[in-house]
Amino acid sequence: MANSSGPHDPAEGQGGAVPGTRDDFWRIKESLRALLDDPHVPPGIRENLRADYDTLRAMLDKLEQEQVHIAVFGRVSVGKSSLLNALIGAPRFTVSALHGETARPAMQSWETVASQGVYFIDTPGINEVDGKAREQMAVEVAGRSDLVLFVVDGDMTASELDALERIWMQSRPMLLVLNKADQYTREEQQQLLERLGERARGRVAPEDIVATSAHPGERIYLVADEAGQEIEQRRRPPPDVAALKARLIRILETEGKMLAAVNAGLFAGELSDQVARRVTQAKQEVAARVIRNYCIGKGVAVAVNPVPVTDLAAAAALDITLVVHLGRVYGLPVTRGEAGRLIAQISAQLALLMGAVWGMNLLSSALKTVSVGASVAITAVGQGAAGYYATYVVGQCAEHYFLQGKSWGAKGPKTAVRDILSGIDRRSILQQAREDIRARLRTQPGRSSWFSRRSRSEDK
Ligand SMILES: Nc1nc2c(ncn2[C@@H]2O[C@H](COP(=O)(O)OP(=O)(O)OP(=O)(O)O)[C@@H](O)[C@H]2O)c(=O)[nH]1
Ligand SMILES: [Mg+2]
């Protein structure tokens, strides 16, 4: 049907008809309800996406009532309100020769097909001076409707083409209506319809491009008076929206409520993706704080602990605790044994990639013996920073592993670790490390004993 080549159109390759049985309709309704009531969505995220949740609720209500919403969309004064009045057969929406007559969306039911719960939504015109907010409103309404009547009154302008593209990108089924057809000769109308077909190729199917005269201008007719004399009479011809009406009724008969269900399903899909992204984002923020804390713990301990061998054992224990902690953040708990094996896997990849440099990082604490002297704390900050950096890299790799649901992904650990490593700005992490360690040493000089105790107890 309309817009059969839309970007996410489920009708693709189905000969144009939106597939749908009662089961599909029920399934989509249930998925909306499940998303609305999902207890796993944190209240903060729900609050942040409140407008979207409200829309979702409205869509579910609409599906329960089996309503279909059809919105007009187009430039100011192309005759959007007139078109809906002509379809309804009564002046329900206000019409005026003045631009910008319709200021906000309004809804009326289409009684000729009332059994289907069909509603028309009038929208403000686009492309109006200072009308950006209205335009936005129109785009939103079109985005939430089940079918869009894109109304033009001649060949399309650049901004109309742009708007058509935007609606198509929203996967909205669309009819393209050439209104004010009475202003053109039959031949001109034909040419214009062909031109519109070219402009909207791949966006609107040819059978969904129709001409209408919603409120034709007055005409001069030659009529015979009582004496049989021919006289001129000015009259407004009746509206002609027959082609559009027939097409709409055909679409509603074949696709009906499934239009609403498919669109609600698309919206729910987008919302659930957005929710998932935000949940992940929140976890990543927590993970970043966790990793930083462990980096500081490691950096400070390496910088101040005078016994290199203890440093190494304790450092490994700390990394293990970090990985266990990250697993909890991502809701994928791991044992200390699993964490140790994961670190061994990461370290093996790092050793392959960085060779001696990585070895130096791991052994950085051993090097510190050369700097034992007058001011261990200060001279060892460099080694501490290397320890910090090593934990940072392990943390990033482990986080990636958890983000992929405890997996390295299709490309395996080698590529994953290499990509992570190349994405890290080593210089700025080391700089941050020095600052963090110095700050901590200034405020908590006795940190090393805490670290050794904690590491030993976590080893058990
Ligand atoms: N000749 C002709 N004039 C029409 C036709 N349809 C509407 N008009 C005229 O176009 C003008 C604007 O009509 P509206 O229906 O208010 O247009 P609109 O698109 O809703 O306008 P806004 O709400 O301002 O965006 C009015 O003067 C109508 O009489 C038509 O088919 N033929
Ligand atoms: Mg209007």
Side-chain angles (χ1 to χ4, degrees):
M1 85 127 266
N3 197 24
S4 58
S5 48
H8 320 288
D9 196 338
E12 233 164 9
Q14 307 259 342
V18 173
T21 60
R22 275 228 73 90
D23 273 1
D24 294 326
F25 189 72
W26 184 85
R27 227 173 3 85
I28 291 174
K29 234 167 47 179
E30 285 310 299
S31 72
L32 257 67
R33 197 170 290 130
L35 183 59
L36 268 172
D37 301 334
D38 187 349
H40 299 105
V41 179
I45 290 175
R46 200 176 274 276
E47 190 53 38
N48 255 310
L49 294 171
R50 200 197 176 116
D52 288 335
Y53 273 99
D54 288 349
T55 304
L56 188 69
R57 161 108 24 225
M59 281 182 156
L60 182 59
D61 289 349
K62 195 171 118 214
L63 287 188
E64 312 245 278
Q65 292 160 23
E66 308 204 338
Q67 291 183 4
V68 178
H69 289 186
I70 302 175
V72 279
F73 190 93
R75 257 179 33 245
V76 281
S77 264
V78 288
K80 300 178 293 299
S81 305
S82 304
L83 186 68
L84 296 185
N85 287 341
L87 284 166
I88 292 171
R92 299 279 173 74
F93 298 101
T94 60
V95 167
S96 150
L98 300 175
H99 280 195
E101 171 65 18
T102 306
R104 53 183 45 82
M107 191 159 97
Q108 292 283 342
S109 73
W110 191 17
E111 264 132 39
T112 43
V113 274
S115 57
Q116 296 220 33
V118 178
Y119 286 82
F120 283 130
I121 302 174
D122 197 8
T123 66
I126 58 163
N127 205 22
E128 188 202 346
V129 185
D130 289 333
K132 277 285 157 219
R134 285 182 181 194
E135 181 169 335
Q136 187 57 33
M137 207 190 300
V139 172
E140 274 168 26
V141 171
R144 270 185 275 127
S145 304
D146 305 310
L147 179 68
V148 172
L149 305 181
F150 196 108
V151 188
V152 295
D153 60 1
D155 193 6
M156 290 175 85
T157 63
S159 67
E160 281 174 328
L161 278 169
D162 194 52
L164 183 110
E165 194 68 17
R166 260 193 285 169
I167 294 175
W168 181 76
M169 291 301 288
Q170 288 180 298
S171 303
R172 227 35 34 176
M174 203 170 9
L175 303 193
L176 181 53
V177 183
L178 171 65
N179 190 37
K180 304 195 183 178
D182 57 293
Q183 293 182 332
Y184 305 102
T185 64
R186 287 227 164 272
E187 204 184 357
E188 284 169 338
Q189 268 184 46
Q190 212 43 50
Q191 281 171 353
L192 270 171
L193 286 173
E194 276 167 28
R195 174 56 70 88
L196 292 175
E198 284 162 26
R199 299 249 193 232
R201 195 189 303 277
R203 306 293 185 253
V204 184
E207 68 270 25
D208 292 327
I209 304 177
V210 289
T212 57
S213 301
H215 193 240
E218 287 185 344
R219 285 247 175 106
I220 297 169
Y221 291 87
L222 287 179
V223 288
D225 66 6
E226 282 161 11
Q229 287 282 326
E230 272 201 343
I231 55 161
E232 286 186 354
Q233 207 180 57
R234 291 178 75 82
R235 259 196 290 132
R236 194 184 292 280
D240 178 7
V241 292
L244 175 61
K245 199 166 183 169
R247 185 70 196 124
L248 276 178
I249 287 172
R250 175 102 186 89
I251 290 169
L252 290 167
E253 275 168 3
T254 52
E255 296 163 33
K257 310 185 283 296
M258 267 323 275
L259 276 177
V262 167
N263 289 337
L266 279 174
F267 182 83
E270 280 161 24
L271 180 58
S272 83
D273 285 353
Q274 211 178 341
V275 168
R277 271 198 302 278
R278 294 205 183 192
V279 168
T280 304
Q281 207 179 2
K283 285 181 181 170
Q284 280 174 313
E285 281 162 17
V286 174
R289 279 201 300 277
V290 166
I291 293 174
R292 183 150 180 234
N293 280 338
Y294 280 84
C295 287
I296 296 173
K298 169 86 143 310
V300 169
V302 170
V304 301
N305 197 320
V307 187
V309 178
T310 313
D311 277 7
L312 283 177
L318 192 75
D319 285 354
I320 286 174
T321 314
L322 163 61
V323 171
V324 170
H325 200 154
L326 283 177
R328 277 207 302 272
V329 170
Y330 283 101
L332 298 165
V334 286
T335 62
R336 292 187 70 79
E338 279 178 276
R341 282 191 290 282
L342 184 64
I343 292 174
Q345 202 179 19
I346 295 169
S347 298
Q349 297 305 329
L350 289 168
L352 280 175
L353 287 162
M354 298 175 70
V357 182
W358 182 248
M360 292 280 277
N361 277 328
L362 283 183
L363 294 172
S364 62
S365 56
L367 293 173
K368 198 183 53 187
T369 45
V370 300
S371 59
V372 172
S375 177
V376 171
I378 302 305
T379 51
V381 165
Q383 274 85 53
Y388 180 120
Y389 178 74
T391 293
Y392 182 80
V393 175
V394 167
Q396 296 302 309
C397 293
E399 190 186 5
H400 173 87
Y401 178 81
F402 288 123
L403 267 170
Q404 309 268 317
K406 269 188 171 177
S407 146
W408 290 113
K411 291 182 189 156
K414 189 175 172 186
T415 314
V417 172
R418 191 191 58 210
D419 291 352
I420 291 164
L421 206 57
S422 64
I424 293 175
D425 180 355
R426 188 157 182 256
R427 195 185 280 261
S428 70
I429 296 294
L430 285 172
Q431 178 62 31
Q432 180 72 54
R434 286 194 188 89
E435 284 166 21
D436 284 352
I437 293 167
R438 284 205 185 96
R440 190 59 66 88
L441 286 176
R442 271 199 297 276
T443 55
Q444 286 175 281
R447 194 74 172 170
S448 68
S449 54
W450 164 85
F451 171 66
S452 305
R453 267 204 318 278
R454 183 182 159 90
S455 303
R456 270 198 300 279
S457 69
E458 271 160 357
D459 255 347
K460 285 170 201 156

